[in-house]
Amino acid sequence: MTFADEVKNAVTARAALLVVGVLALQLLFVASYVGALHRPDPTDVPFGVVAPQQVSGQLVTQLDGLPGGPLDPRAVPGEAEARRQIQNRDIDGALIVSPTGAADTVLVASGGGTVLATSLTRIIEEAEGPRQRTVRTVDVAPASPDDFDGLSSFYLVVGWCVGGYLCASILAISAGTKPANRQRAVIRTAVMALYSIAGGIGGAVIIGPALGALPGSVWALAGLGALVVFAVGMVTLALEALTGVVGIGLAVLLIVIAGNPSAGGAFPLPMLPDFWRAIGPALPPGAGTWVARSIAYFKGNAVTGPLLVLSAWAVAGTVLTLLLSMRRRASDEISRTTASTGGSNPA
């Protein structure tokens, strides 16, 4: 046998296509992560301005015209309202202008991302300098001292996502990527649900009571974790049912390559380029990270939208998995009927 024949036997056309697909995923991984994270510049950060009426409009216009457009400022009637909007995650910070002195206050929320809070302080200090005003920073939703750079919530959600698509991949590899019938699809869905509950509780206990890295309700985090794991797992099962082993790669593309860099973890959403900022909230890592931070630092505010996103992924994955298993069963029955008819002699 020649060397060329050996190569043909060792590397099938299907294997070659899968290798090319892996190479494409690798290059997309590099492009996505570097594209999203190589230059984190704040852009259009929702920002409140509390100032005397005679200077409020002028100050909002000045901040809106800063080079690069880092802020999206809007007038806020008072400091209490500014704090409320930060806690509700409507704005990421606020400038409180003193009506009597030259010392102003910047309200930030490092629980939503330490890098963003630091950037807001720097931007306002540079803007206030020419006006001969000083700035002090008040953190109204501080990150835990054991939550370095506010990253623990992101790493927690990444762990849940990894568990979801790995469990789904194992279920597929162990007994075929496409469920043979509806019963098997239901069994896989039930296993995924049980695994999701265990993963959600385990992650919440580790991040909270065990390590003390993240405050907030353990049971709220556990519920979030179960939803994240189940959503990612069922989407992976659906992709596998639709495309076979290629579905594992598609899940990696969706969750790891597109979802992780756009999740607002390493850098909050206002510091990401437009493309990643747009897709992040619609993908499980981004929705999960937002909710985890809200539970930990913002009294559980502003979680309805992201929870609906996660629920939509979970429902879509479950429905698609079950429908595809029913379609395959019908296809198999037609094939058996055709084979039986073809094997009989007509009268």
Side-chain angles (χ1 to χ4, degrees):
M1 183 178 290
T2 65
F3 179 75
D5 292 332
E6 290 285 1
V7 171
K8 290 179 181 179
N9 289 333
V11 183
T12 64
R14 183 171 182 269
L17 288 174
L18 289 175
V19 169
V20 171
V22 170
L23 176 61
L25 286 177
Q26 173 186 307
L27 298 179
L28 285 171
F29 184 98
V30 174
S32 184
Y33 277 71
V34 176
L37 307 177
H38 76 289
R39 189 178 177 182
D41 293 325
T43 307
D44 293 329
V45 180
F47 191 79
V49 176
V50 179
Q53 186 174 2
Q54 59 270 26
V55 299
S56 178
Q58 178 184 355
L59 186 55
V60 168
T61 301
Q62 176 191 343
L63 294 177
D64 192 37
L66 291 175
L71 302 179
D72 177 18
R74 71 285 308 267
V76 178
E79 180 175 348
E81 175 62 16
R83 288 175 176 266
R84 187 192 69 80
Q85 290 189 24
I86 292 174
Q87 283 290 342
N88 286 343
R89 309 197 74 177
D90 296 324
I91 58 177
D92 292 305
L95 172 63
I96 313 299
V97 177
S98 172
T100 56
D104 298 334
T105 301
V106 178
L107 303 181
V108 297
S110 62
T114 303
V115 177
L116 179 59
T118 302
S119 296
L120 289 177
T121 299
R122 175 183 54 79
I123 290 168
I124 297 303
E125 287 176 344
E126 292 176 354
E128 291 277 77
R131 300 173 58 228
Q132 304 299 313
R133 302 188 72 85
T134 60
V135 177
R136 72 182 183 99
T137 301
V138 175
D139 197 341
V140 299
S144 166
D146 296 315
D147 181 12
F148 178 74
D149 274 357
L151 291 173
S152 295
S153 54
F154 171 61
Y155 291 139
L156 174 64
V157 172
V158 168
W160 282 329
C161 290
V162 169
Y165 66 72
L166 283 182
C167 180
S169 300
I170 290 171
L171 288 173
I173 292 171
S174 64
T177 51
K178 297 183 179 181
N181 50 49
R182 184 175 56 187
Q183 288 75 16
R184 183 173 294 180
V186 169
I187 291 170
R188 289 184 181 182
T189 301
V191 171
M192 198 69 245
L194 292 174
Y195 176 87
S196 299
I197 294 171
I201 294 174
V205 170
I206 290 171
I207 203 79
L211 298 179
L214 208 62
S217 168
V218 172
W219 289 111
L221 287 173
L224 169 65
L227 181 57
V228 170
V229 176
F230 188 72
V232 172
M234 292 312 301
V235 166
T236 304
L237 285 176
L239 292 172
E240 291 165 350
L242 184 64
T243 64
V245 71
V246 175
I248 298 175
L250 293 177
V252 171
L253 175 64
L254 181 69
I255 304 300
V256 179
I257 295 176
N260 285 354
S262 65
F267 300 110
L269 289 175
M271 303 188 75
L272 298 180
D274 291 341
F275 172 75
W276 286 269
R277 186 192 303 197
I279 67 173
L283 297 175
T289 298
W290 179 277
V291 176
R293 282 179 171 159
S294 289
I295 291 171
Y297 299 117
F298 296 94
K299 302 177 181 178
N301 293 325
V303 299
T304 302
L307 287 177
L308 288 175
V309 168
L310 291 169
S311 299
W313 282 107
V315 171
T318 302
V319 171
L320 188 57
T321 298
L322 296 176
L323 287 178
L324 288 172
S325 69
M326 294 171 65
R327 187 184 71 175
R328 186 176 184 193
R329 181 183 180 184
S331 177
D332 290 343
E333 289 177 353
I334 292 173
S335 298
R336 286 194 296 270
T337 302
T338 302
S340 176
T341 303
S344 59
N345 295 322

